Amino acid sequence: MRLTRRFIIQSLDKVNINSPIRYERYYINDNLRIQSKNNMLEKEILDKDNVIIAKTNISEEEFNKLKKEAYSKIIRDSYLYLDDDRVSIKKYLDKYEGLIRVEIKFNSIDEMNSYKIESWMEAEITNSPLAFDKYLSKLSEQEFLLELSKYISETNE
């Protein structure tokens, strides 16, 4: 069982975060993705539950070759929440602009169940296609906007 919860927010304005790391991810298939981050090129093998089971650095040549086979590209900036090291924030660009996802990782089910969300966190999206890049990457632009509107409108009521 994955010990995470995920929420959506609409702004980073009042959130104490570090400088972002830019991720450019390409999904080749359900079990293979490549990414560029901090001038590093990586290949990640995922299991059926979307957990990384192997990660290796790859050459620019291999990266560019695999990139051509990708069915989807995701560009996002990743931040750490400076007041709680369990929390990270992903701000999406390009095709997924408008999505800002907060991820909280826990060490136990009790910790996860007793967690009190921060005042700036909005709707929970843990069980939505917006919760993981792998599922997000399979949404058409229309499906993404429809899914996003479910949570954005919910937080504005």
Side-chain angles (χ1 to χ4, degrees):
M1 178 181 175
R2 192 184 285 267
L3 297 176
T4 63
R5 290 179 66 192
R6 290 149 193 263
F7 297 85
I8 199 166
I9 60 174
Q10 294 181 59
S11 170
L12 294 171
D13 289 347
K14 296 177 180 143
V15 185
N16 186 19
I17 53 177
N18 68 339
S19 297
I21 296 172
R22 172 73 43 95
Y23 282 73
E24 193 172 311
R25 284 186 160 170
Y26 295 88
Y27 282 82
I28 315 308
N29 59 48
D30 280 354
N31 302 103
L32 176 61
R33 75 177 174 215
I34 58 171
Q35 67 183 11
S36 166
K37 75 173 191 193
N38 279 350
N39 299 319
M40 289 190 331
L41 304 174
E42 300 173 323
K43 177 168 63 174
E44 298 177 327
I45 309 297
L46 309 167
D47 70 11
K48 65 178 177 48
D49 296 318
N50 199 38
V51 175
I52 299 168
I53 54 176
K55 182 187 282 199
T56 55
N57 290 332
I58 58 174
S59 68
E60 188 171 352
E61 182 181 346
E62 183 177 3
F63 182 84
N64 289 331
K65 179 179 175 272
L66 287 168
K67 187 166 119 172
K68 291 176 185 169
E69 299 173 26
Y71 69 82
S72 184
K73 169 176 107 175
I74 291 180
I75 301 173
R76 62 178 168 82
D77 287 335
S78 187
Y79 303 84
L80 296 176
Y81 179 50
L82 298 175
D83 298 338
D84 186 339
D85 64 3
R86 299 174 297 178
V87 179
S88 63
I89 300 165
K90 300 352 183 208
K91 181 178 181 181
Y92 289 79
L93 307 165
D94 199 39
K95 181 179 172 183
Y96 304 104
E97 181 106 27
L99 175 60
I100 305 174
R101 183 176 70 215
V102 178
E103 301 177 2
I104 307 110
K105 293 182 179 169
F106 302 98
N107 294 314
S108 70
I109 292 173
D110 287 342
E111 180 186 4
M112 185 169 73
N113 292 336
S114 65
Y115 180 75
K116 302 284 186 250
I117 71 168
E118 300 283 344
S119 61
W120 48 267
M121 293 179 190
E122 299 172 26
E124 185 160 3
I125 59 168
T126 301
N127 297 314
S128 101
L130 303 177
F132 294 94
D133 285 359
K134 178 178 179 177
Y135 306 120
L136 184 62
S137 73
K138 294 178 185 240
L139 297 178
S140 69
E141 184 177 354
Q142 194 170 15
E143 290 168 329
F144 165 69
L145 292 172
L146 179 63
E147 192 67 27
L148 185 64
S149 73
K150 292 178 189 178
Y151 298 97
I152 298 292
S153 62
E154 185 179 299
T155 59
N156 286 336
E157 291 174 1

